Amino acid sequence: MALLRGSLRLSKSVFGASRFQSRLLASVKDASNVGFVGLGNMGAPMAANLAKFGHRMVVYDRDPFRASEFTKVFNGAVTAETPSEVAANCRIVISMLPGPNEVREVCLDPDNGLFVEARSRSVFIDSSTIEPATAKELSAALATRNSNALFIDAPVSGGVPGAVNRTLTFMAGCSEETLSPLESLFMCMGKRAISCGDVGSGQVAKVCNNLILGISMTAVSEAMSLAKRLGMEAQPLTDIVNCSSGRCWSSDTYHPVPNVMENVPSSNGYDKGFACDLMLKDLGIAIKEAKRVEAQAPLGLLTAALFKSMSEKGAGKKDFSGIYHYYYQKEDVKKQRPDSENDKKDLASEGSAS
């Protein structure tokens, strides 16, 4: 669906929409302003893409410099002093924050939170990665304040490159009927938006996806490190893996070995990517959820221990693909191997590492 300046072009399907969908479509159509809370590595390019499609942005970040810089680049964008000011001026608000604590504060703060100014037919879309239970809690809290406002958990996959290049996949915790009128908005920032089911289900999909991602990144790093010690360079092995059964996103799109691929964090000092500490937080959520439902997650526990080791070496802000450098390429790798039962038990008891 194409975008009009400051609004969404409506499809003919509106005539067959349910009453709820009609109200939602009307809300989206009336959304001359779009709010965005959180202008970090992911949020800034997502908000920028919305602005490029003609939306008048109202932005907030706890670092005023980030918000100020955004408004300098995009004419018509304005800075809000608080999250509640964003909600007061926008029917659609998107948030992209580091973790559940930040999301709760932004949404639920009794004085300046987003929900303080929740209006009827407002839509709050949270693209952060949080626990499924937190998404349900926020949805219930919003409904208590205004039953005609809507909360959707819609975390993303694709990382910083996906945010910059508008190729993100959104995992939406809502029905197809609810997602349909919002799809054009999501397409300003990504390439796909998928309905996952009820509220919280987007977070289930994201946590499981990042469990796979963390494990696969360590697997690729481990294989590349082994090959190097056996006398084979990363490039020819990568060429083989990427036309063989070991191929995965960590090998063909986001390689952990420096200079194998351009425009990925490993070739930029592991900077400006998905931080190790954020991966550790996501794995902590997965472990916590596995424990809650009595699911087995031994690979998740071990992978979290590896990223914890990387973080404790002062590399928590570096991209998570740095596990190749900060763990597998260290001379004292045997000494730092976190494979004891005590290490795993500590991580299991910690749950979320946010």
Side-chain angles (χ1 to χ4, degrees):
M1 300 179 187
L3 282 169
L4 296 173
R5 186 169 186 81
S7 64
L8 293 175
R9 189 190 306 276
L10 300 182
S11 69
K12 294 180 180 178
S13 63
V14 65
F15 298 108
S18 67
R19 181 178 298 178
F20 172 79
Q21 190 178 17
S22 295
R23 291 199 301 267
L24 189 56
L25 282 165
S27 177
V28 174
K29 183 181 179 181
D30 293 341
S32 57
N33 297 338
V34 174
F36 208 104
V37 177
L39 299 174
N41 289 343
M42 291 291 294
M46 290 169 68
N49 283 326
L50 285 164
K52 290 173 184 176
F53 271 82
H55 289 285
R56 184 173 182 270
M57 303 302 296
V58 180
V59 299
Y60 171 81
D61 192 278
R62 61 184 175 183
D63 181 353
F65 178 77
R66 289 178 177 175
S68 175
E69 288 299 296
F70 186 91
T71 57
K72 288 178 182 178
V73 174
F74 296 100
N75 292 331
V78 296
T79 300
E81 296 295 324
T82 63
S84 61
E85 188 177 326
V86 177
N89 288 280
C90 304
R91 287 204 181 276
I92 295 177
V93 179
I94 302 166
S95 52
M96 173 57 88
L97 300 163
N101 292 336
E102 292 84 357
V103 176
R104 280 196 186 93
E105 180 181 355
V106 160
C107 291
L108 302 178
D109 184 276
D111 298 316
N112 298 310
L114 286 173
F115 294 174
V116 171
E117 295 290 343
R119 297 181 291 167
S120 294
R121 297 193 292 118
S122 292
V123 182
F124 295 90
I125 301 168
D126 181 51
S127 290
S128 318
T129 301
I130 59 178
E131 295 98 334
T134 301
K136 294 177 182 179
E137 171 195 343
L138 294 171
S139 178
L142 178 61
T144 298
R145 182 170 288 275
N146 191 325
S147 61
N148 291 315
L150 178 67
F151 177 88
I152 299 174
D153 55 303
V156 302
S157 178
V160 175
V164 171
N165 298 320
R166 203 165 57 86
T167 58
L168 294 172
T169 295
F170 288 85
M171 308 166 218
C174 65
S175 66
E176 289 278 4
E177 181 184 64
T178 301
L179 178 61
S180 179
L182 295 167
E183 191 169 3
S184 292
L185 185 76
F186 286 122
M187 293 306 98
C188 293
M189 301 174 284
K191 64 179 181 179
R192 292 192 71 187
I194 301 171
S195 167
C196 299
D198 295 333
V199 64
S201 61
Q203 296 298 341
V204 172
K206 177 60 187 287
V207 167
C208 292
N209 180 78
N210 276 22
L211 176 63
I212 295 170
L213 176 60
I215 293 169
S216 65
M217 181 59 77
T218 57
V220 171
S221 297
E222 189 166 302
M224 294 294 156
S225 178
L226 175 61
K228 181 178 180 180
R229 289 173 180 266
L230 293 173
M232 186 175 189
E233 294 299 320
Q235 188 63 66
L237 177 58
T238 299
D239 294 341
I240 292 167
V241 168
N242 285 344
C243 63
S244 302
S245 56
R247 183 177 186 173
C248 62
W249 191 79
S250 297
S251 69
D252 70 7
T253 302
Y254 209 83
H255 207 283
V257 179
N259 303 317
V260 171
M261 293 179 179
E262 297 180 351
N263 302 317
V264 294
S266 62
S267 296
N268 187 39
Y270 298 103
D271 289 330
K272 295 183 178 179
F274 182 59
C276 166
D277 283 347
L278 293 179
M279 172 55 77
L280 185 55
K281 180 261 296 183
D282 291 357
L283 289 169
I285 293 173
I287 292 167
K288 180 180 178 180
E289 291 299 301
K291 185 177 181 181
R292 183 177 66 84
V293 298
E294 299 182 350
Q296 296 296 325
L299 293 179
L301 280 166
L302 182 54
T303 302
L306 295 172
F307 283 107
K308 184 178 182 182
S309 173
M310 175 179 166
S311 181
E312 289 175 345
K313 287 175 169 51
K317 304 303 181 186
K318 293 288 188 178
D319 184 75
F320 80 110
S321 63
I323 194 71
Y324 171 80
H325 173 77
Y326 291 98
Y327 180 77
Y328 286 102
Q329 292 303 296
K330 294 297 183 183
E331 290 299 320
D332 60 340
V333 64
K334 291 183 179 179
K335 296 180 182 179
Q336 64 172 316
R337 184 176 297 139
D339 56 1
S340 71
E341 288 303 313
N342 287 335
D343 289 325
K344 296 177 185 178
K345 288 177 181 178
D346 287 345
L347 282 159
S349 63
E350 285 176 12
S352 176
S354 56

